[in-house]
Amino acid sequence: MKAERILVVEDEDDIVELIQFTLHREGFESEVVQKGDEALARAESMEPDLILLDLMLPGKNGHQICSDLRAHPRLAQTPVIMLTARSEEKEMIQGLESGADDYVTKPFSPKLLCARIRAVIRRRRREEDGGAHPVASGRIQRGPVEIDPNRHRATLNGKALELTYTEFHLLALLAGRPGWVFSRYQIVDSIRGEGYPVTKRSVDVQVVGLRKKLGESARLIETVRGVGYRFAEEVEETD
Ligand code: CA
């Protein structure tokens, strides 16, 4: 099997060293760029399978690079994992909103980093295999939960769930991309797009309501501290 190629955009030497050592040991190939304003050009020439992107970089910061990537015709689909400091909650959220697929907080364990890389690549592959728009394309089955967006119906273990309009959309949004973290803003944005008023705070209220209705399956809706919510990923992998 061809080794996955990772572009590492990180300016701190010791972190670069740790990442490269880890990636090599785990069978990844990697290239490193230490200046923000060189990242896009290198991504263009390398066409990596995934980009590890530090936030604070000389030249251009991680958000700008991520936005550039997302607007790039050939690189828009390249998965990006942001590397952020633990204290940078606001930055994590911005990172997700500028188009990052996931983030890892520093200091990180090499094992966790590789697990995240594999998860993000796997997710992207699955999307390329046709699951990119599950909400639009038909029913979503995640463990005990089944969602039929066309009929606006959701069931739990075959029993109809009585969801409000917003709860239904929240569930469909999260379950449509299990394992993906959605910030409150992204959730608001997505549901507001349907013409309904939702605020960031009311997202939390909706989640409480949704979890209540999911009963024992409430754990499927995971809280990602300081960032937002996601639908548990393991469910899908067992089916
Ligand atoms: Ca840095």
Side-chain angles (χ1 to χ4, degrees):
M1 204 180 81
K2 190 166 84 48
E4 262 111 18
R5 294 156 62 250
I6 316 292
L7 176 60
V8 181
V9 185
E10 167 67 67
D11 59 322
E12 279 167 70
D13 291 331
D14 47 349
I15 298 180
V16 167
E17 207 174 302
L18 172 68
I19 292 176
Q20 277 199 299
F21 175 78
T22 305
L23 292 178
H24 180 73
R25 194 187 52 195
E26 298 286 322
F28 295 104
E29 280 175 22
S30 65
E31 286 184 26
V32 177
V33 172
Q34 293 193 274
K35 293 199 182 94
D37 40 11
E38 292 170 6
L40 198 68
R42 183 67 74 90
E44 276 181 331
S45 62
M46 182 188 173
E47 297 200 0
D49 294 299
L50 182 138
I51 300 173
L52 282 180
L53 185 57
D54 184 29
L55 260 185
M56 306 306 285
L57 292 158
K60 212 181 227 185
N61 74 32
H63 294 311
Q64 291 170 297
I65 296 168
C66 200
S67 301
D68 290 350
L69 287 166
R70 291 302 172 242
H72 191 285
R74 266 188 302 124
L75 301 171
Q77 300 301 317
T78 306
V80 173
I81 296 181
M82 287 262 188
L83 302 172
T84 66
R86 200 173 287 284
S87 56
E88 295 170 342
E89 255 178 21
K90 229 178 90 199
E91 271 94 25
M92 283 183 231
I93 297 173
Q94 281 178 354
L96 291 170
E97 281 160 8
S98 62
D101 298 273
D102 205 347
Y103 63 89
V104 170
T105 51
K106 292 188 225 178
F108 48 80
S109 83
K111 227 175 143 181
L112 174 94
L113 181 69
C114 288
R116 292 289 184 84
I117 290 173
R118 292 211 173 86
V120 168
I121 291 178
R122 197 170 55 226
R123 243 146 52 194
R124 185 50 57 92
R125 297 250 156 92
R126 208 149 53 200
E127 290 193 349
E128 284 169 0
D129 289 345
H133 302 288
V135 176
S137 65
R139 293 189 314 170
I140 303 166
Q141 173 83 56
R142 304 273 178 246
V145 178
E146 194 173 340
I147 303 160
D148 185 343
N150 301 321
R151 293 209 177 97
H152 229 273
R153 255 172 56 98
T155 59
L156 177 67
N157 295 315
K159 267 185 72 184
L161 282 166
E162 301 290 332
L163 302 178
T164 65
Y165 184 93
T166 309
E167 286 166 352
F168 178 85
H169 275 273
L170 177 62
L171 179 64
L173 177 71
L174 299 179
R177 297 185 125 191
W180 286 70
V181 185
F182 289 88
S183 72
R184 288 177 179 78
Y185 180 81
Q186 286 174 311
I187 294 170
V188 169
D189 213 37
S190 166
I191 301 177
R192 191 191 275 149
E194 309 279 344
Y196 280 70
V198 190
T199 63
K200 283 198 203 185
R201 231 191 119 252
S202 75
V203 169
D204 297 335
V205 176
Q206 297 294 337
V207 167
V208 170
L210 179 57
R211 280 186 177 141
K212 220 171 184 171
K213 291 176 184 176
L214 288 172
E216 280 180 10
S217 299
R219 60 182 170 76
L220 292 174
I221 311 293
E222 298 175 345
T223 302
V224 183
R225 258 177 102 151
V227 180
Y229 298 97
R230 82 177 150 219
F231 198 89
E233 190 169 26
E234 308 84 80
V235 173
E236 200 190 30
E237 275 155 22
T238 57
D239 69 20

